[in-house]
Amino acid sequence: MNGELEEIREFLDRCPDLAPLPAASRDAFVRRLTLRYLREGSTFPPENEPGLWIVRTGTIELRDDRDTLRDRLGEGDLVHVPEAPSHPLGPVTEDALIYHLPLERARELAALDGSIAQVLAADAQRPLSTDGATHGHGGDNRLLTTPVRALMTPHPVLAVSTLSLREAARLMDRADISALLLHTPDRPGEPCGILTDTDLRRAIANDIDPETPVADSMAHPLTTVHRGTPAFEALLCMARHDIHHLPVIREADDTLAGILSSTDLIRHQGTSAVYLVRDLRRADDLEGLKGIMQALPRLQTQLVDSGADALQITQTITMVIDTLTQRLIELCERDQGSPPCAYAWLASGSQGRHEQTVFTDQDTAIIIADDGPKGADGWFEALARKVTAGLDACGIRACPGDVDPTHPDWRRPAADWAREMERVLQHPTPRDAMLATHYLDMRVIHGDASLFEPLHQRALETGARHEALLSTLADQARDLPPPLGFFRQFVLEDSGEHADTLDLKMRGLLPIVAMARVFALHAGSAARNTVERLRAAARAGVIHEATADNLVDAWLFIAGLRARHQSSQVRSGQAPDNALDPAGLSTLERSHLKTAFRLVSDARKTALADAERVHG
């Protein structure tokens, strides 16, 4: 091999996607590559030519048909273009030398060498995708995308609310329905309430006169959905409100179109989210809650198998844990007696952001009304100890950082919380940056929301005005680099129980979470969920829409990969965690994961500075 070919071979040895190949496979490339020069501002690939392209020097951006940045190629990166694209894939942003293996030669090599075939299958130009099938985890995702109109019962029975309970029961029996929609005499065709089998049983159990007007027993106001609502969203709506029937209305005029029941959803695709939440709300003691929560890992596995994306999975798991917490509090109030004054139980961290999975811990707090009697704190301390212990018994681990209301710092009267939040947000020390992240992520999951929401709004306003906080949080985000080293190699944990693995939460998700928090604060957004924060920041012009899209895609992919990893552990009887061995990923998954980390790294370098300039 002459000197020029030897130089090419040495370069290929350093390419992240080619270095793992056998030496003979890399040798097969050397004599078949041609070198092309692409000037800055030109389009890639030149003449829309397909094949395998390997960047020797320079930079090339890959964009989709909406001009959204999907990847940025630099030295050592490759992209397989399996057919002539109908339009350029992106611009050359820095003069580039690039090796080209024509498509026919690439196919010849792939036919002879399985290792090369795998490289070609890892199509780096493919946009980050968040659906399970793309990443080798196929599943039926019909429940996620099927509109409610395809599942609902059209032309539901609608009756006047002056009917007696007896007449309503007879009508439901004749029509063989489990729910009857009702309207007032003066507004026919416009439902105002609903009577279900459960309502009828409750009326009979309470010895209500069968001749009583049904209006006295119906549920109202109604919770409704539009015909185009995805069925999965309807499922979450039922679970949040602990209901099993949803009137469906038309988008154009809000008139009644049909009714959807949980049975319709279960028939379409088995799922236990609604029943899991129902069972938690009906549990009468801690032992009952513990037994029900054993189904949570199976629920996550079922969601993964159905093709749910990371946002749907984490919102569903969070909803279940919210319900568990609420029921534990209700049981404690039953045992301890009525609270001495108004209060609210707060969730922070991943629960506050609606981003939990089955492997999670507690980040909670209590805010107490200022008019509480002397000694009231003792009641709330007892509540905190019982609820946090109950959560731990049900599989939601105690917070290793002591962020829970058994500690006085996380159990305060409203005035104390106001002073503490003002102090932290106006003059933050490095330790206060951690406190600030918790305060900004907090939300009420039980109790009097009016105690906390004004404080949260003031915190957002204070934070957006104070450069010290914005700068401290931005520094915190910069101190969380994604685990991608030189030549795009993964940086793995180097010691401890999870050595040689990737911590998908700490190294993958938290850098995005931290950036989204800063961007949302710049934008003055009250959003808590990471995806919502990124989209709000883009709408406010704090970051470019393409940057937000890239970070949302990266979050969805990494969080989805974590959910699938945990579900795989559940199936094999292991305890779920965040530690992923990248050696177990397919070539395509490794490529996507590297692309996701790279997008995060690029945003870390540029978007934080852009946000600070916009705010300034």
Side-chain angles (χ1 to χ4, degrees), residues 19-32:
L21 294 180
S25 299
R26 291 196 299 278
D27 285 341
F29 278 94
V30 173
R31 295 182 183 277
R32 292 172 172 82

Side-chain angles (χ1 to χ4, degrees), residues 286 290 324 328 362 385-396:
L286 178 59
K290 286 167 60 178
L324 168 66
L328 281 167
Q362 304 173 37
R385 294 194 182 284
K386 290 177 183 176
V387 173
T388 54
L391 288 169
D392 188 60
C394 291
I396 314 303

Side-chain angles (χ1 to χ4, degrees), residues 43-45 48 61-64 79-81 85 87-91 125:
T43 57
F44 172 83
N48 287 347
E61 291 184 351
L62 299 181
R63 295 181 172 271
D64 61 18
V79 57
H80 175 216
V81 183
H87 57 81
L89 301 181
Q125 67 124 65

Side-chain angles (χ1 to χ4, degrees), residues 16-324:
D17 293 301
L18 299 180
L21 294 180
S25 299
R26 291 196 299 278
D27 285 341
F29 278 94
V30 173
R31 295 182 183 277
R32 292 172 172 82
L33 295 175
T34 57
L35 186 64
R36 306 282 292 271
Y37 170 69
L38 305 181
R39 187 179 296 278
E40 180 179 344
S42 61
T43 57
F44 172 83
E47 292 83 47
N48 287 347
E49 189 173 353
L52 183 71
W53 299 85
I54 308 170
V55 179
R56 178 66 187 261
T57 61
T59 308
I60 298 170
E61 291 184 351
L62 299 181
R63 295 181 172 271
D64 61 18
D65 52 8
R66 296 180 301 165
D67 202 37
T68 299
L69 180 65
R70 290 303 182 181
D71 200 0
R72 185 176 286 113
L73 305 180
E75 180 178 344
D77 293 334
L78 61 82
V79 57
H80 175 216
V81 183
E83 59 186 21
S86 58
H87 57 81
L89 301 181
V92 178
T93 55
E94 180 182 339
D95 287 357
L97 288 172
I98 183 165
Y99 291 117
H100 180 223
L101 182 66
L103 184 60
E104 287 305 313
R105 292 183 180 180
R107 288 174 174 168
E108 290 170 5
L109 286 179
L112 296 172
D113 190 322
S115 298
I116 294 176
Q118 282 192 328
V119 170
L120 297 182
D123 182 2
Q125 67 124 65
R126 188 173 185 167
L128 281 173
S129 173
T130 59
D131 69 271
T134 299
H135 307 303
H137 295 269
D140 182 0
N141 65 356
R142 289 173 297 168
L143 182 63
L144 313 180
T145 57
T146 300
V148 161
R149 61 176 172 268
L151 307 177
M152 70 181 188
T153 299
H155 314 299
V157 179
L158 186 61
V160 66
S161 59
T162 54
L163 282 180
S164 68
L165 284 171
R166 188 192 308 276
E167 290 171 324
R170 286 172 175 167
L171 177 57
M172 292 170 68
D173 183 56
R174 287 197 304 271
D176 192 22
I177 56 176
S178 60
L180 177 66
L181 290 172
L182 300 157
H183 65 83
T184 57
D186 59 326
R187 301 176 83 93
E190 186 175 315
C192 65
I194 187 170
L195 185 78
T196 67
D197 283 342
T198 301
D199 298 321
L200 283 173
R201 290 197 304 270
R202 187 179 297 117
I204 294 170
N206 291 328
D207 295 324
I208 294 178
D209 186 346
E211 301 308 319
T212 301
V214 73
D216 293 348
S217 298
M218 71 181 183
H220 65 94
L222 286 173
T223 300
T224 63
V225 293
H226 285 110
R227 292 185 307 167
T229 301
F232 193 91
E233 289 184 21
L235 175 70
L236 289 182
C237 182
M238 286 183 185
R240 287 193 186 104
H241 294 281
D242 194 20
I243 57 179
H244 295 272
H245 299 83
L246 283 171
V248 182
I249 58 178
R250 296 180 177 87
E251 289 83 353
D253 54 11
D254 285 346
T255 57
L256 183 65
I259 190 168
L260 181 76
S261 72
S262 57
T263 303
D264 296 327
L265 293 172
I266 301 305
R267 186 184 303 117
H268 182 68
Q269 166 129 12
T271 181
S272 57
V274 171
Y275 292 120
L276 185 54
V277 167
R278 179 202 63 184
D279 291 345
L280 287 172
R281 287 188 171 129
R282 294 178 179 179
D284 203 43
D285 54 29
L286 178 59
E287 287 305 310
L289 292 171
K290 286 167 60 178
I292 295 164
M293 286 298 289
Q294 290 179 6
L296 188 65
R298 294 196 299 275
L299 173 61
Q300 179 165 315
T301 298
Q302 185 178 6
L303 290 168
V304 167
D305 289 345
S306 74
D309 70 22
L311 201 57
Q312 294 163 330
I313 293 169
T314 53
Q315 287 179 338
T316 303
I317 299 300
T318 302
M319 176 188 63
V320 171
I321 295 174
D322 281 358
T323 305
L324 168 66

